[in-house]
Amino acid sequence: TNFNIPSNSKLEIINYGAFQQTNIKQIFIPKQVEVIDNFTFLIAKNMVQIEIEENSKLQVIGEIYIFFNIMIK
């Protein structure tokens, strides 16, 4: 499963556990997202790629188990 947050989305925070235990494989995160909270991708065993849009405003990436065997681009 691929999940693309639209580039024109107003989303600023991806909350705690948002994709925990899902079948997500890839995600596109637009530049206006400022926070990826703890456990966002915990036990998302199929996750292989996270793409963060250029000129990202991302300031905070949660500290515990967000990324596990994932390619970030």
Side-chain angles (χ1 to χ4, degrees):
T1 304
N2 296 341
F3 191 84
N4 292 316
I5 302 168
S7 291
N8 62 352
S9 169
K10 300 204 184 294
L11 182 70
E12 295 179 353
I13 299 172
I14 299 177
N15 287 321
Y16 180 101
F19 296 99
Q20 182 174 335
Q21 297 183 0
T22 64
N23 290 323
I24 190 169
K25 290 183 180 178
Q26 298 178 339
I27 188 169
F28 172 79
I29 298 174
K31 62 185 174 187
Q32 65 275 12
V33 172
E34 297 177 3
V35 176
I36 298 174
D37 207 351
N38 292 324
F39 301 106
T40 298
F41 300 105
L42 180 67
I43 314 174
K45 295 179 182 180
N46 295 321
M47 178 65 86
V48 293
Q49 182 176 344
I50 296 172
E51 183 176 350
I52 300 170
E53 190 172 14
E54 286 187 44
N55 300 315
S56 175
K57 296 179 183 176
L58 189 61
Q59 297 176 25
V60 177
I61 296 177
E63 298 176 7
I64 304 171
Y65 300 114
I66 288 187
F67 307 115
F68 181 77
N69 293 331
I70 298 171
M71 180 181 87
I72 300 173
K73 152 177 154 175

